[in-house]
Amino acid sequence: MLVYSETQNSRLQYIVGTLLPGAAVTSSLDEYLQFAGTKINYSSKRFSDSEFHLKPHGLLSEAGIRQQKLRCTEWEGLKIFFNTIGDFPFDVFAAAFYLLTRYEEYLPHRKDSYGRYAHTESLAFREGFLHLPLVDLWAESFYRAIKQVFVSFTPPAHSFRFIPTYDIDIAYSVKGSGPLRQLYAMVRNRSFGVKGKDVFDIYGWLDQLHEDADALPIYFFLLAARRSKYDKNRHPRSASLRRLIQEVATKYRIGLHPSWQSHDDAELVQSELLTLEEISGRKTVAARQHYIRLTLPATYRNYIGAGIAEDYSMGYGSINGFRASSCRPFFWYDLIAEQTTSLQIHPFCFMDANASFEEGLDAPAALKCLLQYRDIVRSVNGELITIFHNHFLTEQPQWQRWREMYKQFIAGNFVPNAALTFPSQPAPL
């Protein structure tokens, strides 16, 4: 496949490589006209009937970042913008670039109470498509349109994957703490369950779920060396935490959950990563921000500097949905440096805390939401990445229905046509 553009730059190369892997880009008209395969004319002028003409909006030929005039319309039941006239009703290259790069997050915007980019500022929220992997849906329509002109065109191959992930902010409720604190916690919070087991210790139960469902999860561990308002993990020197990390690392992938304190401190990210690698004895390349405290481009530049190759933070810590309007992995494009990076982004769409605390859903409603995300992600063969915390899945009365919901959801993702039912509300202890 060959894409023609009057000028070539890193923006065009990036988005073509993302939506059409393997396609070449040329600014030579002679080379383009003589090409015998599938070819896309990304310019204002049509050259022949034997081409796919995609008229540019202009964003990809610009330099720098500026406020864009966005007006959404509807086409085939999907919101679109950067409308043009050609063989496709809008500049899908420019629109996908705008959403995937999080262009709007580089513009002046309002922060939420945690200092994060507020989801209410996003185009996806304002226009009502936050619940959709819109870029992937556009891409599927784009591929179908190309195939109508070039029947030999083969769309990029994708496959559905479910990746359960866990943020281990507080590995244990009281295990590993001093005897007085354990006694106080036991009396005040019932922090020990059956046979004196720490209520947050659900790792064996999760192991069984994963084994039964043949699931491959990722665990992200918080390893702040100093406790703070938002970093309340066990100290990295804690014997119980170290044993847990080592046990999990022998069975599953692990990643770093950079502390709140490390947000503006590249050296601290590096230090916490080295600590995790020292404890686990394994090279670690994955990370997800604690509290989803993601700031572009600083967070991702810190990751690259630390040697982190995969990010799982692309989502909101205030609402569920698709922050970058995609559920497929893609490489981060640094808009300030105007270059494609080696950091691969894996977007998530559901987090238990968002569903419960921010959206006010109970367990049955959260299950319904999860199934909707599963179905839409499966329809585009994307990655369904969920986030749960160990303290959401305990046997404590307030979390029993969440525990049962998650158990059924895991099974339902891997057992064909599995029936997903729900028990009655348990009686309080």
Side-chain angles (χ1 to χ4, degrees), residues 254 273 277 280-285 306-307:
I254 64 171
L273 182 66
E277 292 180 340
S280 67
R282 295 172 181 264
K283 177 69 176 176
T284 302
V285 298

Side-chain angles (χ1 to χ4, degrees), residues 8 18 37 85 90 116 144 155 170 186 193 238 275 295 308 313 331 365 389:
Q8 291 193 54
T18 301
I85 298 173
F90 69 107
R116 306 170 300 195
R144 289 193 294 270
I170 308 175
M186 181 173 62
S238 165
T275 297
T295 302
I308 293 169
S313 310
F331 288 98
H389 297 78

Side-chain angles (χ1 to χ4, degrees), residues 109-181:
H109 58 265
R110 184 178 63 84
K111 305 286 188 182
D112 70 8
S113 59
Y114 291 98
R116 306 170 300 195
Y117 178 82
H119 73 265
T120 51
E121 298 284 286
S122 70
L123 182 69
F125 178 79
R126 298 196 312 269
E127 292 291 337
F129 61 82
L130 183 60
H131 65 294
L132 296 175
L134 189 62
V135 169
D136 308 323
L137 294 167
W138 285 345
E140 293 302 309
S141 295
F142 186 43
Y143 302 151
R144 289 193 294 270
I146 295 173
K147 198 165 184 64
Q148 288 179 354
V149 179
F150 296 96
V151 294
S152 62
F153 168 68
T154 301
H158 300 283
S159 57
F160 172 75
R161 294 179 65 202
F162 171 52
I163 306 175
T165 71
Y166 307 97
D167 286 350
I168 310 302
D169 304 340
I170 308 175
Y172 298 107
S173 176
V174 294
K175 185 177 180 179
S177 59
L180 291 179
R181 183 175 178 183

